C-alpha cells in the first residue's frame, strides 16, 4: 500500500499544479482590462458558468447537453451563459440531444447488449468533446463578432482570443481525462458478474449528471468546484484507466466500429507506411498489435505495429507523438520452437520464446484481422498448418456479438483483469 501511495503522490502533485495553473491563467486573463471589483466578479462568474457545466456533461455527455439545452430553450433559472447561448437554446439541438441520450442508453441496460453500449459510449465521448468545445467557444466568438473594433494600441481582440484558446484547451483536456476514466468504470461494471449492475450504473450516471446540473443552475461557482474535484480524482486514476481503455478500444471496440461502418482492414495501412517510410512503399504488411509482454525496446501493454519490409525483415514499431518512433527487429531464427499463432474468442495471439535475448514474444491482434491469419502466420515464419485453430467461426452477427463480446469472456481477459 505504501509503494502504491508513493506512486500516486507525483500524479496528485501534477494534477493539483495543473488545475491551479490552468484556472489561475484563465482567471488572470478574465480579470484583465476591468475597472473594478464589479467587473472582476462578473468575469469570474462567466468563468464559473463555463467551467461548471463540464462536470455533469462529462459524466453523461448527451444527457448533460440535453439538460443544458432544455434549460436554455425554456429559460429555466437565471444563468446568463445558458440564457444567451446561441447554440444550446435551439429546439432542434434539444431534441437531437434528447434522442441521442435515449438511443445511447438503451444498449447499456443489459449485459447482452452492453458491448454495443460501450462502443456507442466511446463514439459519444468523441462527438461530445467536439460539441462541448463548440458550446464553450461559440458564445465568445459570437460576442467577439458583434463587438466594436478596438482602437489602435488596445489588445481586446488578442485578450478575447487568448481566453478562448485557454477555455477550449482546458475543456478538451477535461473531457478527455474524465470520459476516459468514466468509460473505464463502465467496462469494469461490464465484466462484473453482478446482476443488473449495468442498469444501475446507467441510471446512476443520469442521476449524478442531473444532480450536478441542478447544482450548476443554483450556483455555478459550486458546480465549478465540484467539476475541478472530479478532474483531480480522475487524473489520479487516469494512467491505469487509459492503458486499459487503449487495450479495450483496440481489441473490443474497434471490431464493433468496423462492423457498424462496414470497414474492412487491409494488411497494409498506407497511413502507417507514410509515417514509417515516408513516400517509400517498401512494406509488405502493417499489423496493429498489443504487447502483452515487453520485447526489446518496446514496453508491455502498448499499442505497436508488426511490420514486414519488402526484403522480408520483420520489425516491431512503437509510434509516438511528434513523429517519434521506436523500432525493434524480430529475428525469426532466435525462436527455436518457431512462432505460433493461437486463436482466442475475440483475438489471436502471436507467441514465441526468444532464446537469444531471453524474452517472450507475446502479441495480440484483434478479430478484424481474422481473415488474414494465414498471411500473418506466413509472415511470422510458421510452416505448420493449423487451419482448424485459425478457421473463422460461422454464425449470425448477433450470435457473434454475444459470443465474442460476452461479459463472462471479457472478464477472464488478463489485460482487462
Amino acid at each position: 500500500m505504501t509503494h502504491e501511495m508513493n506512486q500516486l503522490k507525483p500524479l496528485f502533485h501534477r494534477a493539483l499544479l495543473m488545475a491551479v495553473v490552468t484556472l489561475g491563467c484563465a482567471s488572470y486573463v478574465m480579470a484583465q482590462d476591468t475597472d473594478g471589483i464589479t467587473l472582476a466578479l462578473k468575469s469570474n462568474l462567466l468563468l464559473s458558468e463555463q467551467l461548471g457545466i463540464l462536470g455533469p456533461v462529462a459524466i453523461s455527455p448527451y444527457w448533460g447537453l440535453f439538460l443544458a439545452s432544455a434549460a436554455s430553450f425554456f429559460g429555466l433559472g437565471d444563468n446568463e451563459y445558458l440564457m444567451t447561448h446561441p447554440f444550446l437554446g435551439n429546439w432542434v439541438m434539444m431534441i437531437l440531444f434528447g434522442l441521442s441520450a435515449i438511443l445511447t442508453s438503451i444498449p447499456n441496460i443489459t449485459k447482452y447488449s452492453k458491448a454495443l453500449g460501450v462502443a456507442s459510449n466511446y463514439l459519444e465521448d468523441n462527438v461530445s468533446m467536439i460539441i462541448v468545445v463548440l458550446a464553450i467557444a461559440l458564445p465568445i466568438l459570437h460576442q467577439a463578432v458583434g463587438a466594436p473594433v478596438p482602437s489602435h494600441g488596445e489588445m481586446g481582440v488578442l485578450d478575447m482570443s487568448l481566453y478562448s484558446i485557454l477555455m477550449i484547451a482546458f475543456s478538451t483536456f477535461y473531457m478527455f481525462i474524465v470520459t476516459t476514466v468514466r468509460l473505464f468504470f463502465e467496462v469494469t461494471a461490464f465484466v462484473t458478474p453482478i446482476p443488473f449492475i449495468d442498469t444501475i450504473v446507467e441510471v446512476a450516471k443520469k442521476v449524478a449528471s442531473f444532480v450536478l446540473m441542478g447544482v450548476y443552475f443554483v450556483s455555478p461557482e459550486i458546480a465549478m468546484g465540484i467539476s475541478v474535484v472530479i478532474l483531480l480524482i480522475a487524473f489520479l486514476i487516469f494512467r491505469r484507466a487509459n492503458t486499459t481503455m487503449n487495450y479495450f478500444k483496440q481489441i473490443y471496440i474497434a471490431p464493433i466500429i468496423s462492423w457498424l461502418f462496414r470497414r474492412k482492414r487491409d494488411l497494409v495501412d498506407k497511413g502507417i507506411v507514410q509515417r514509417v517510410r515516408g513516400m517509400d512503399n517498401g512494406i509488405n504488411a502493417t499489423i496493429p498489435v498489443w504487447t502483452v509482454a515487453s520485447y526489446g525496446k518496446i514496453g508491455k501493454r502498448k499499442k505497436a505495429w508488426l511490420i514486414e519490409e519488402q526484403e522480408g525483415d520483420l520489425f516491431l514499431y512503437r509510434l509516438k507523438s511528434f513523429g517519434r518512433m521506436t523500432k525493434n527487429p524480430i529475428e525469426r531464427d532466435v525462436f527455436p520452437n518457431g512462432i505460433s499463432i493461437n486463436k482466442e474468442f475475440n483475438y489471436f495471439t502471436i507467441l514465441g520464446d526468444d532464446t537469444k535475448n531471453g524474452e517472450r514474444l507475446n502479441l495480440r491482434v484483434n478479430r478484424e484481422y481474422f481473415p488474414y491469419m494465414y498471411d500473418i502466420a506466413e509472415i511470422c515464419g510458421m510452416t505448420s498448418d493449423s487451419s482448424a485453430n485459425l478457421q473463422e467461426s460461422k454464425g449470425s452477427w448477433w450470435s457473434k456479438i454475444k459470443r465474442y463480446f460476452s461479459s463472462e469472456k471479457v472478464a477472464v481477459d488478463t489485460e482487462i483483469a
Side-chain angles (χ1 to χ4, degrees):
M1 178 64 70
T2 304
H3 176 68
E4 293 178 352
M5 290 302 297
N6 290 334
Q7 289 182 325
L8 289 177
K9 284 182 180 179
L11 293 177
F12 175 76
H13 292 157
R14 278 185 288 174
L16 184 60
L17 180 62
M18 176 276 303
V20 171
V21 171
T22 304
L23 293 176
C25 290
S27 299
Y28 174 78
V29 173
M30 286 301 299
Q32 295 301 300
D33 205 23
T34 57
D35 297 325
I37 297 177
T38 303
L39 291 178
L41 290 175
K42 183 178 181 180
S43 298
N44 290 328
L45 177 61
L46 176 61
L47 177 66
S48 63
E49 288 179 344
Q50 291 174 319
L51 296 184
I53 200 174
L54 293 177
V57 171
I59 292 176
S60 185
Y62 286 147
W63 173 247
L65 289 169
F66 166 73
L67 294 176
S69 183
S72 179
F73 180 76
F74 291 108
L76 303 178
D78 56 353
N79 189 306
E80 183 179 354
Y81 174 70
L82 288 182
M83 297 305 102
T84 59
H85 201 287
F87 173 69
L88 293 176
N90 187 295
W91 68 271
V92 176
M93 301 307 301
M94 181 185 66
I95 295 176
L96 183 61
F97 289 143
L99 291 176
S100 299
I102 295 173
L103 293 177
T104 55
S105 297
I106 292 175
N108 289 306
I109 59 177
T110 67
K111 290 191 178 297
Y112 295 104
S113 58
K114 180 63 176 180
L116 289 174
V118 174
S120 68
N121 289 344
Y122 170 68
L123 292 176
E124 177 183 355
D125 291 343
N126 286 271
V127 173
S128 63
M129 194 177 301
I130 299 175
I131 295 175
V132 168
V133 169
L134 289 175
I136 293 293
L138 281 181
I140 304 171
L141 298 177
H142 181 72
Q143 294 174 8
V145 170
V149 179
S151 60
H152 181 70
E154 294 182 7
M155 303 297 289
V157 175
L158 180 60
D159 288 345
M160 182 66 70
S161 299
L162 179 59
Y163 175 77
S164 302
I165 292 173
L166 284 173
M167 291 301 300
I168 290 173
F170 183 80
S171 301
T172 304
F173 176 81
Y174 188 100
M175 291 293 294
F176 176 71
I177 296 293
V178 177
T179 55
T180 298
V181 173
R182 193 211 70 231
L183 201 59
F184 168 72
F185 282 113
E186 289 188 19
V187 171
T188 304
F190 173 50
V191 301
T192 302
I194 301 176
F196 305 111
I197 186 65
D198 304 282
T199 305
I200 295 173
V201 170
E202 186 63 23
V203 173
K205 283 167 46 183
K206 297 295 187 290
V207 172
S209 179
F210 181 82
V211 171
L212 287 180
M213 191 62 75
V215 174
Y216 173 71
F217 292 154
V218 175
S219 176
E221 295 85 354
I222 296 178
M224 183 183 71
I226 296 175
S227 297
V228 172
V229 171
I230 292 174
L231 175 63
L232 294 177
I233 295 173
F235 198 82
L236 296 178
I237 314 170
F238 176 75
R239 185 174 182 180
R240 164 64 177 167
N242 189 51
T243 300
T244 300
M245 288 315 305
N246 284 338
Y247 173 78
F248 195 83
K249 292 171 187 176
Q250 182 174 348
I251 301 299
Y252 295 96
I253 295 181
I256 298 181
I257 302 298
S258 295
W259 171 75
L260 289 174
F261 293 99
R262 296 292 188 264
R263 180 181 63 188
K264 183 179 180 181
R265 292 291 189 181
D266 295 322
L267 266 181
V268 179
D269 188 316
K270 295 181 179 179
I272 300 301
V273 171
Q274 290 183 357
R275 286 192 63 182
V276 173
R277 299 287 292 272
M279 298 304 295
D280 182 4
N281 295 327
I283 289 179
N284 295 331
T286 59
I287 305 156
V289 297
W290 180 266
T291 60
V292 178
S294 60
Y295 189 80
K297 301 176 183 178
I298 312 298
K300 65 178 180 179
R301 308 199 77 192
K302 304 292 184 182
K303 181 177 181 178
W305 291 85
L306 186 65
I307 295 179
E308 184 190 41
E309 299 183 353
Q310 281 188 347
E311 296 81 7
D313 296 327
L314 194 62
F315 295 92
L316 192 63
Y317 276 82
R318 166 81 172 140
L319 304 181
K320 303 177 182 180
S321 57
F322 305 107
R324 298 175 299 124
M325 65 183 68
T326 302
K327 178 181 180 181
N328 196 85
I330 299 178
E331 303 174 16
R332 299 179 182 88
D333 56 359
V334 300
F335 302 96
N337 299 321
I339 298 176
S340 63
I341 292 183
N342 297 328
K343 180 172 174 292
E344 305 292 342
F345 70 95
N346 192 46
Y347 54 83
F348 63 91
T349 57
I350 301 174
L351 300 171
D353 292 315
D354 185 344
T355 56
K356 179 180 178 181
N357 302 306
E359 297 175 319
R360 180 171 175 79
L361 183 68
N362 191 345
L363 310 174
R364 289 186 181 179
V365 185
N366 73 23
R367 73 183 320 269
E368 292 177 285
Y369 288 84
F370 276 6
Y372 300 108
M373 279 191 289
Y374 293 109
D375 301 287
I376 296 174
E378 184 178 351
I379 290 171
C380 295
M382 287 182 59
T383 56
S384 59
D385 183 14
S386 55
S387 58
N389 182 43
L390 303 185
Q391 187 175 9
E392 168 72 301
S393 59
K394 304 298 181 181
S396 65
W397 66 270
W398 180 242
S399 64
K400 289 181 179 180
I401 288 292
K402 290 192 295 183
R403 184 186 306 119
Y404 295 117
F405 302 96
S406 67
S407 59
E408 291 82 4
K409 292 186 176 181
V410 176
V412 300
D413 190 332
T414 55
E415 292 297 280
I416 296 294

